[in-house]
Amino acid sequence: MPGNKTLVLVSRPNGPLAPDHFAIVDKEIPALAEGQIKVRNFYASLDPGIRKTLGEDKSYWQPTPLGAALTANTVGRVLESRHAGFQPGDLVFGTGAMQEISVYTPGKMCWKLPPDSRLPLSAHVSILGGTGLTAYFGLLDVGKPQAGETVLVSGAAGAVGSIVGQIAKIKGCRVIGIAGGPEKTRRVVEKYGFDGVIDYRGKSREDLQAAIAELCPDGVDLYFDNIGGIQLDAALSQMKWRGRVAVCGLISEYERTEGSGQIMHNLFSIVAKTLRVEGFLSFVYHQQFREAQRELEQWILEGRLVYDDYIREGIESAPEAFMALFSGANNGKVMVRIAAPDDAI
Ligand SMILES: NC(=O)c1ccc[n+]([C@@H]2O[C@H](COP(=O)([O-])OP(=O)(O)OC[C@H]3O[C@@H](n4cnc5c(N)ncnc54)[C@H](OP(=O)(O)O)[C@@H]3O)[C@@H](O)[C@H]2O)c1
């Protein structure tokens, strides 16, 4: 039986992640049942939301049991098939385990990659996968930006935030980002084309409010939040009457320990300005993914949209890559290359 290296959770973090919360173990590859496929994975994503499954509380997924694999989005090639619609050699996307070889049931968070895509395989777990699709549906369907509006985006140098800002620009909005540190803030303006940016590091809630007020003097129509905490609190104070807040994620809260949270000061703005505050999960849009992937790829090929991938080599690098999401060390979508793709699409 060949090995199947898999990233598993060995202890529950209480606060920041550390390498010893994880282990790489060999898992058995189950025999294929009728309707299943066996896939060699090339790339696997590390998604901040998975941090929420490492504790004991239920989030949108069940807690990861100790000893079980971490969930990841993967792209890979079919090795063996007991599904009539899939042949060995097909390239597929799947949501499953962070491991070398996965058994998937097509139709259940597993499908073929678009055969006509001209982007590299890694793009299918980033700009054409969870990252790009989250930005696309969160901004366009939840946020509903209108040309001429002011859009504020937190996590603006990140995988989702950088795409949100660029799509908002494509839609004719004025876009301001919030990101951490001089290198990231420079990239937000110079590479992703935002109209302005705020470096949140070292700033209090009041400082952030003042910085947003300065760059958005008429207020914010739409705030796309990836971060939560004082960035959300500060943004609420600067929203326009009937503004919208698209809540994509609250990464500043994911490693918070019991009792360490900040008090929100501006929640009453939701009432006073009759704001619409709406959370969303990208996978509820799965029936519209193909259409969105086509548009995202078109924008990339036309040079109107750029994206960055932060790729680390080997499944052994997954714990460190995961931790980069919370330290801010990543520049783009965090993923690991589990095996070299054997050829292009
Ligand atoms: N709703 C959905 O369906 C969905 C799907 C995918 C992702 N998401 C959410 O989208 C957000 C962004 O995810 P991503 O994959 O694109 O990650 P990312 O933005 O590429 O990386 C995470 C970034 O968050 C910032 N950060 C981390 N901890 C922070 C803290 N304590 N305070 C302030 N900033 C902090 C860091 O940026 P700086 O260096 O700038 O601080 C870090 O680089 C997350 O909240 C994630 O949960 C939601």
Side-chain angles (χ1 to χ4, degrees):
M1 175 69 65
N4 183 19
K5 283 187 198 165
T6 303
L7 179 73
V8 300
L9 179 70
V10 293
S11 63
R12 295 205 181 281
N14 178 25
L17 293 175
D20 59 6
H21 292 124
F22 307 101
I24 306 282
V25 301
D26 259 338
K27 290 259 185 196
E28 208 170 297
I29 305 166
L32 287 192
E34 195 54 40
Q36 291 188 321
I37 57 175
K38 186 189 290 179
V39 176
R40 173 181 303 287
N41 294 321
F42 298 138
Y43 293 96
S45 69
L46 289 138
D47 305 316
I50 297 307
R51 174 67 184 81
K52 296 290 289 173
T53 74
L54 306 186
E56 277 165 354
D57 299 337
K58 185 175 183 305
S59 72
Y60 53 92
W61 274 327
Q62 296 292 341
T64 304
L66 291 178
L70 265 70
T71 303
N73 293 323
T74 64
V75 287
R77 190 181 289 287
V78 177
L79 295 174
E80 195 182 326
S81 174
R82 292 193 65 193
H83 186 292
F86 285 72
Q87 303 302 321
D90 286 345
L91 289 163
V92 295
F93 170 94
T95 299
M98 167 71 73
Q99 60 187 171
E100 291 178 312
I101 294 173
S102 297
V103 170
Y104 285 125
T105 305
K108 290 188 180 164
M109 297 304 285
C110 173
W111 47 77
K112 285 186 200 175
L113 298 191
D116 51 349
S117 174
R118 289 160 62 189
L119 300 189
L121 276 179
S122 51
H124 294 268
V125 290
S126 64
I127 185 68
L128 301 181
T131 301
L133 296 166
T134 298
Y136 185 96
F137 289 106
L139 179 71
L140 300 180
D141 192 65
V142 181
K144 296 191 172 23
Q146 305 297 311
E149 287 190 330
T150 297
V151 177
L152 178 68
V153 184
S154 62
V160 172
S162 61
I163 304 303
V164 168
Q166 292 177 79
I167 300 177
K169 286 297 295 177
I170 289 171
K171 297 295 172 185
C173 298
R174 185 169 171 275
V175 185
I176 304 298
I178 307 176
E183 191 279 323
K184 286 197 180 183
T185 46
R186 193 167 45 247
R187 196 150 44 89
V188 164
V189 173
E190 291 178 4
K191 184 163 188 187
Y192 305 134
F194 285 48
D195 298 288
V197 66
I198 295 161
D199 184 351
Y200 75 85
R201 290 199 190 261
K203 287 194 171 58
S204 65
R205 188 188 64 253
E206 292 80 3
D207 295 340
L208 279 173
Q209 285 177 197
I212 298 168
E214 193 183 329
L215 288 180
C216 309
D218 298 324
V220 174
D221 294 284
L222 167 59
Y223 175 48
F224 189 103
D225 192 18
N226 288 306
I227 305 295
I230 64 166
Q231 296 186 33
L232 170 60
D233 204 8
L236 285 175
S237 76
Q238 302 304 312
M239 298 302 297
K240 280 188 187 170
W241 171 254
R242 306 224 76 166
R244 292 96 66 204
V245 180
V247 185
C248 175
L250 304 169
I251 195 169
S252 71
E253 320 249 320
Y254 299 174
E255 300 214 298
R256 189 159 60 78
T257 49
E258 191 77 24
S260 67
Q262 300 242 4
I263 293 170
M264 296 285 281
H265 288 251
N266 295 316
L267 278 181
F268 196 70
S269 296
I270 297 170
V271 178
K273 296 174 183 169
T274 67
L275 304 181
R276 176 166 65 81
V277 179
E278 188 175 339
F280 65 93
L281 290 168
S282 55
F283 56 74
V284 303
Y285 295 96
H286 65 96
Q287 282 172 329
Q288 299 164 64
F289 278 179
R290 268 298 150 86
E291 213 177 297
Q293 285 166 331
R294 257 183 232 114
E295 190 158 29
L296 287 164
E297 180 158 344
Q298 189 60 32
W299 284 332
I300 291 163
L301 296 175
E302 289 168 2
R304 301 171 76 194
L305 184 62
V306 295
Y307 67 97
D308 284 302
D309 289 337
Y310 180 87
I311 304 174
R312 291 294 168 265
E313 289 301 330
I315 193 168
E316 291 77 7
S317 64
E320 219 168 312
F322 199 18
M323 287 159 57
L325 285 163
F326 301 94
S327 67
N330 66 310
N331 281 321
K333 176 63 199 165
V334 178
M335 67 180 86
V336 290
R337 187 172 7 237
I338 291 181
D342 44 20
D343 59 28
I345 297 178

